[in-house]
Amino acid sequence: MNDYTDLIDHADSINYLLARYGVKFGIYKNNEFKEQLFPYDAIPRIITKQEFDYLEKGLIQRVDALNCFLYDVYNKKQIIADGVIPADFVFSSKGYLPQCEGIVPPGKIYSHISGIDLVQAKDGTWYILEDNLRIPSGASYPMIARELARRAAPEAFKKNPLYDNRNYASMLKECMDYASTGGINVVMTPGRYNSAFFEHSYLAERSGAVLAMPSDLVVEDDHLYYKEYTGKKIQVGAIYRRVSDEYMDPLTFEPDSLIGVPGIMDVFRAGNVAMMNAPGNGVADDKGIYYFVPKMIKYYLNEEPILKNAPTYLAFYEEDRKYILDNMQNLVIKDVSEAGGYGVIFGRDLSVEQLENLKQIVTNESRRFIAQEVIDFLDLKIVDGNEEVERKADLRAFVLSGEKTKVWPSGLTRFSRNPDSFVVNSSQGGGFKDTWVLSR
């Protein structure tokens, strides 16, 4: 029996310190930037060593296959030529960037930091819900929560045999050092008003990288440099960029971007800097492409998938579309271009008229939607006031790819604070827990 009662007694003081240290989540709503606390719940999610060993194998397999897909789709496109994935489906993806054609990052690694979202059904089966390969956030929250919890209730960590999650920063540094083309490591942030600014600064500090604003970086002679306050320029070998693809380089993507570095894509294309994660990764975490990941594992690795996708239907295919239209009231419909819990519609919550309207939209814009069976996933205990209640929760696992692909023995467990909701995203008002992976 794992004892975490000491943590519950100190939950208020831990949340107070999280707020004091600026551990917040910022969102833009109605053209205004608002910061809100990301509430921490003291009851940890506990994963046994045996269970983690199983998840680790499945996650490594999945991320390796996704990296193979990204290399293939921006180069030979053999998976398309062999008819495994329809060409139109790939090239119509919002995440596919023609500007990235032919670029091969150091080590052929496109996704160095992958955030894979899983849920566990009540029968114990784990399902992958989403792959996040662009700029997945969230590792810093369980890191600092664990750090504060250790101070507040050290006995809880002496009593329980669990993996230390403080190694995330060293894992990140290993990946940056492995990918580096020669020079310093940089975490590039768009600035104070980004929703994950706390994480950017925290990870830079912990990994020993330089935290840089776009204005701190300059391209000269096909190399990237960091400008110190003295005016001195230092070459950058690896950049962990926390800026969306379309804003990274105004000379290649969005010309009006003020948070990019002009010419950085030329440096990347020339092989003179490693970008983590690589631009163009969005084609692999498109919710529609998700449907094909089990096929990728078989195609590239010649292995059976260890972890399952949630049962998914593509409106793009006539047979699947018919099933979606006939069973919409029992399915969850997802808009493939949305993120953060937006664009997720539960058919059971719609009126007859709303169902009919959605059916028409799905019929007319079939590439835009997927549908999934509703998984009645596990409820975890949280503290609500003076009582313990159960709420839906997922797990974001972090998989880091460098010389080898490794899974961080921790993760971000997010939960819904609404007893009637399956949506756990922080942008939708959810909270988070520490994830304890037992070492024996």
Side-chain angles (χ1 to χ4, degrees):
M1 182 70 179
N2 300 101
D3 186 357
Y4 45 76
T5 50
D6 291 355
L7 288 175
I8 296 175
D9 293 340
H10 290 87
D12 288 345
S13 60
I14 293 170
N15 268 302
Y16 169 77
L17 287 172
L18 288 169
R20 186 177 173 186
Y21 291 160
V23 186
K24 298 179 181 179
F25 189 87
I27 57 172
Y28 283 96
K29 199 168 185 178
N30 300 324
N31 294 319
E32 288 184 21
F33 178 78
K34 295 179 182 178
E35 278 189 320
Q36 60 191 42
L37 295 176
F38 194 11
Y40 161 77
D41 182 75
I43 303 176
R45 170 176 225 148
I46 297 173
I47 297 176
T48 66
K49 184 180 187 305
Q50 182 181 11
E51 198 165 34
F52 180 74
D53 289 346
Y54 161 76
L55 290 174
E56 184 177 41
K57 288 177 185 174
L59 290 164
I60 289 172
Q61 178 194 59
R62 191 173 182 97
V63 168
D64 283 348
L66 285 162
N67 267 309
C68 288
F69 169 72
L70 284 162
Y71 171 66
D72 187 15
V73 85
Y74 283 115
N75 291 278
K76 291 184 178 179
K77 303 171 180 55
Q78 201 61 47
I79 198 167
I80 296 172
D82 290 341
V84 179
I85 300 178
D88 288 349
F89 211 85
V90 172
F91 300 135
S92 65
S93 170
K94 189 178 177 182
Y96 169 75
L97 300 179
Q99 299 93 330
C100 296
E101 279 290 334
I103 298 177
V104 180
K108 297 183 183 177
I109 301 169
Y110 289 75
S111 186
H112 305 80
I113 303 101
S114 306
I116 310 297
D117 294 345
L118 308 97
V119 293
Q120 187 175 24
K122 288 185 174 176
D123 67 359
T125 305
W126 286 91
Y127 292 96
I128 306 284
L129 275 192
E130 277 186 20
D131 305 294
N132 299 281
L133 310 182
R134 280 171 281 187
I135 41 176
S137 62
S140 63
Y141 300 113
M143 285 173 70
I144 192 167
R146 178 86 63 91
E147 183 181 329
L148 295 175
R150 280 180 178 279
R151 293 184 210 166
E155 288 303 311
F157 297 91
K158 292 177 183 176
K159 294 174 187 173
N160 298 290
L162 61 149
Y163 280 109
D164 189 340
N165 76 348
R166 287 174 289 189
N167 66 335
Y168 184 84
S170 62
M171 291 173 70
L172 178 61
K173 184 179 185 302
E174 275 180 26
C175 287
M176 295 185 82
D177 289 346
Y178 178 74
S180 178
T181 58
I184 62 169
N185 295 333
V186 162
V187 174
M188 176 186 171
T189 177
R192 164 76 181 79
Y193 291 105
N194 182 267
S195 64
F197 179 73
F198 161 76
E199 176 158 283
H200 306 167
S201 56
Y202 186 74
L203 291 179
E205 178 190 349
R206 290 305 165 107
S207 66
V210 172
L211 181 68
M213 305 287 182
S215 57
D216 297 326
L217 300 168
V218 64
V219 170
E220 289 182 3
D221 300 322
D222 266 353
H223 288 79
L224 182 67
Y225 296 91
Y226 169 73
K227 294 181 296 182
E228 289 190 324
Y229 70 94
T230 60
K232 181 182 176 183
K233 294 173 186 172
I234 305 171
Q235 187 173 330
V236 177
I239 180 167
Y240 180 17
R241 51 103 186 186
R242 300 300 296 258
V243 173
S244 297
D245 291 358
E246 61 269 33
Y247 302 115
M248 270 303 292
D249 185 344
L251 301 181
T252 300
F253 301 117
E254 177 55 57
D256 295 329
S257 173
L258 300 177
I259 55 172
V261 180
I264 193 171
M265 284 298 293
D266 291 334
V267 182
F268 181 50
R269 192 175 289 108
N272 293 332
V273 73
M275 263 205 235
M276 305 169 58
N277 285 338
N281 278 9
V283 68
D285 68 16
D286 180 304
K287 290 184 178 70
I289 294 292
Y290 158 94
Y291 174 91
F292 297 98
V293 178
K295 296 176 186 288
M296 291 179 200
I297 292 169
K298 294 177 185 176
Y299 182 80
Y300 293 116
L301 307 181
N302 196 27
E303 297 171 1
E304 288 298 316
I306 295 168
L307 292 169
K308 297 180 179 180
N309 274 13
T312 304
Y313 309 94
L314 288 189
F316 181 79
Y317 291 131
E318 185 177 349
E319 184 179 347
D320 281 16
R321 186 165 63 249
K322 184 178 186 308
Y323 181 84
I324 293 169
L325 298 177
D326 290 345
N327 297 276
M328 188 174 281
Q329 68 277 11
N330 301 318
L331 301 171
V332 55
I333 314 299
K334 295 183 178 181
D335 187 326
V336 302
S337 62
E338 296 281 3
Y342 295 98
V344 177
I345 303 167
F346 286 82
R348 66 188 179 205
D349 296 336
L350 303 180
S351 66
V352 173
E353 183 181 355
Q354 288 172 325
L355 275 171
E356 289 306 314
N357 287 340
L358 184 56
K359 286 179 183 179
Q360 195 59 53
I361 295 170
V362 169
T363 301
N364 294 339
E365 302 178 56
S366 60
R367 172 60 178 88
R368 183 179 156 191
F369 297 96
I370 65 168
Q372 293 178 327
E373 301 288 352
V374 179
I375 297 170
D376 189 12
F377 53 96
L378 215 57
D379 298 277
L380 298 182
K381 285 183 180 180
I382 70 164
V383 177
D384 186 13
N386 294 319
E387 60 178 349
E388 292 185 9
V389 297
E390 294 191 337
R391 295 288 185 267
K392 298 296 179 191
D394 77 350
L395 171 67
R396 174 164 291 182
F398 290 90
V399 185
L400 284 81
S401 301
E403 187 173 5
K404 293 182 179 179
T405 304
K406 300 177 181 179
V407 181
W408 182 38
S410 184
L412 175 66
T413 292
R414 301 173 297 181
F415 63 88
S416 171
R417 290 193 288 165
N418 180 345
D420 302 316
S421 176
F422 280 63
V423 180
V424 300
N425 303 70
S426 50
S427 55
Q428 303 289 305
F432 81 98
K433 296 171 168 288
D434 193 1
T435 304
W436 285 10
V437 177
L438 301 183
S439 59
R440 61 176 188 269

